């Protein structure tokens, strides 16, 4: 299962939906959690249909801030247990692991409400004894290492958040890739970067998913980076893809060498084995061709972007 969590900072930006579609398709997401949607349920339902997800729960924006939404595939595996303006709790039914709980959470950004946020986290923890994972924008830092830029983070905030994490028996899931998920004043001398977005889980949940991984992704229009939680390593298919010869290969000048090297790869084997070796060589050769073609396409596209908007001489 793959879960995307993103403080998208509004879905009205022209790049927001294309970014979301690209992420959903590229990573084959099962669950998407969006905070700060700045949208209503009707808008989210339109997005759900566009992304071809099965279900959606959205909490409408209030005024000029807020708004949460969870979209998921396969209505039989997820059910909403409760929600508020700051969190949505899902019960996930796994055929092999039983039922576990996912909390999609958005913490108060105001420092004067931080203690309320910590009490809310303790309340969410106490709602169920199921293995538990909580994800998204906590608006809190566990240590000074979670921040880069001017002005250190108040130590009392780090201490208070760590205490809540300990009280809830949570373990921070290590983040792969770039370590800061939020940026302010990008490119300026007073730029600040912080790791506000994270996923944490109880020991029971980590026992169910010992190979779970968390990584940062890229999406341009928000000051927050999406984070991707993969609950298990991808399993290789039990079936090998059926080999098919493509007629277009016959137009390639080096195909004779590929077939010849595959046929003579091993001595003293039957025709069936020689054909199998040829097929494997052709598949690898075809992959290299496609990879090179994609590189050429990207290079030409970059050149087109460079010259876009230029005037003809």
């Amino acid at each position: 299962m793959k879960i995307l969590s993103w403080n998208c900072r509004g879905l009205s930006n022209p790049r927001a939906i294309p970014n979301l579609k690209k992420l959903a398709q590229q990573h084959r997401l099962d669950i998407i959690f969006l905070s700060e949607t700045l949208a209503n349920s009707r808008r989210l339902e339109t997005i759900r249909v566009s992304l071809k997800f099965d279900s959606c729960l959205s909490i409408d924006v209030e005024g000029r801030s807020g708004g949460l939404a969870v979209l998921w595939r396969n209505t039989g595996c997820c059910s909403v247990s409760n929600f508020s303006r700051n969190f949505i709790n899902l019960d996930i039914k796994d055929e092999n692991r039983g039922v576990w709980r996912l909390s999609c959470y958005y913490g108060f950004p105001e420092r004067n409400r931080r203690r309320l946020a910590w009490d809310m986290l303790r309340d969410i923890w106490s709602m169920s004894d199921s293995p538990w994972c909580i994800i998204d924008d906590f608006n809190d830092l566990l240590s000074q290492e979670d921040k880069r830029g001017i002005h250190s983070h108040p130590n009392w905030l780090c201490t208070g958040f760590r205490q809540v994490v300990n009280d809830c028996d949570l373990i921070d899931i290590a983040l792969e890739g770039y370590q800061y998920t939020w940026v302010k004043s990008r490119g300026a001398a007073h730029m600040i970067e912080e790791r506000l977005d994270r996923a944490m889980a109880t020991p029971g949940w980590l026992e169910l998913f010992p190979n779970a991984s968390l990584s940062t992704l890229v999406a341009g229009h928000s000051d927050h980076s999406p984070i991707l939680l993969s609950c298990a390593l991808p399993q290789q298919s039990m079936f090998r893809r059926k080999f098919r010869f493509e007629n277009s290969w016959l137009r390639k000048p080096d195909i004779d060498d590929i077939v010849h090297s595959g046929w003579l790869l091993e001595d003293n084997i039957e025709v069936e084995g020689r054909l199998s070796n040829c097929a494997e060589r052709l598949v690898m050769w075809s992959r290299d061709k496609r990879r090179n073609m994609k590189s050429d396409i990207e290079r030409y596209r970059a050149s087109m972007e460079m010259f876009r908007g230029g005037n003809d001489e």
Side-chain angles (χ1 to χ4, degrees), residues 150-162:
I150 61 173
H151 307 310
S152 61
H153 197 66
N155 284 324
W156 73 270
L157 289 176
C158 295
T159 301
F161 188 40
R162 285 198 303 268

Side-chain angles (χ1 to χ4, degrees), residues 30-260:
D30 299 291
I31 297 175
I32 297 175
F33 174 53
L34 303 172
S35 58
E36 289 286 344
T37 61
L38 308 182
N40 57 31
S41 56
R42 181 178 300 178
R43 173 66 169 155
L44 265 302
E45 179 62 17
T46 301
I47 294 172
R48 179 196 69 79
V49 173
S50 176
L51 295 178
K52 299 180 181 179
F53 273 60
D54 298 311
S55 300
C56 173
L57 171 68
S58 63
I59 299 172
D60 288 354
V61 61
E62 276 190 350
R64 296 183 179 180
S65 63
L68 306 180
V70 175
L71 302 87
W72 66 91
R73 302 187 191 275
N74 187 359
T75 55
C77 76
C78 295
S79 60
V80 177
S81 57
N82 50 41
F83 59 89
S84 75
R85 306 211 70 84
N86 292 86
F87 68 85
I88 300 174
N89 277 331
L90 295 174
D91 289 327
I92 314 294
K93 297 179 181 178
D94 190 299
E95 292 182 358
N96 299 317
R97 300 174 178 87
V99 177
W100 56 275
R101 181 170 55 127
L102 174 68
S103 293
C104 303
Y105 173 79
Y106 176 66
F108 294 117
E110 303 88 357
R111 286 187 178 178
N112 60 357
R113 305 178 74 185
R114 207 57 56 87
R115 296 186 189 278
L116 291 175
W118 298 341
D119 289 340
M120 180 167 54
L121 283 172
R122 293 185 177 95
D123 289 340
I124 297 172
W125 166 71
S126 66
M127 289 177 182
S128 172
D129 293 330
S130 299
W132 181 38
C133 177
I134 182 168
I135 191 170
D136 198 40
D137 181 3
F138 287 81
N139 277 310
D140 252 319
L141 304 182
L142 284 172
S143 68
Q144 297 294 341
E145 285 71 31
D146 286 342
K147 180 174 182 176
R148 185 167 71 174
I150 61 173
H151 307 310
S152 61
H153 197 66
N155 284 324
W156 73 270
L157 289 176
C158 295
T159 301
F161 188 40
R162 285 198 303 268
Q163 184 61 54
V164 175
V165 170
N166 290 333
D167 291 345
C168 297
D169 198 22
L170 287 168
I171 298 172
D172 189 41
I173 299 176
L175 183 64
E176 300 174 3
Y178 198 68
Q179 292 298 299
Y180 304 101
T181 64
W182 174 77
V183 61
K184 180 180 180 181
S185 304
R186 189 190 303 273
H190 54 281
M191 182 177 72
I192 296 174
E193 294 179 293
E194 296 179 343
R195 186 187 171 190
L196 299 180
D197 309 86
R198 62 200 330 127
M200 296 185 284
T202 58
W205 189 91
L206 292 171
E207 288 179 7
L208 295 180
F209 300 100
N211 295 320
S213 63
L214 185 69
S215 56
T216 52
L217 304 180
V218 177
H221 80 275
S222 175
D223 54 1
H224 283 258
S225 297
I227 56 174
L228 176 66
L229 177 64
S230 299
C231 295
L233 292 177
Q235 296 181 352
Q236 295 184 347
S237 174
M238 296 174 60
F239 304 98
R240 297 185 63 181
R241 186 173 181 179
K242 186 177 180 179
F243 173 77
R244 286 187 173 86
F245 187 90
E246 299 183 19
N247 290 332
S248 61
W249 293 348
L250 295 173
R251 296 195 292 269
K252 305 298 182 182
D254 52 343
I255 189 172
D256 290 344
D257 295 335
I258 299 299
V259 173
H260 189 260

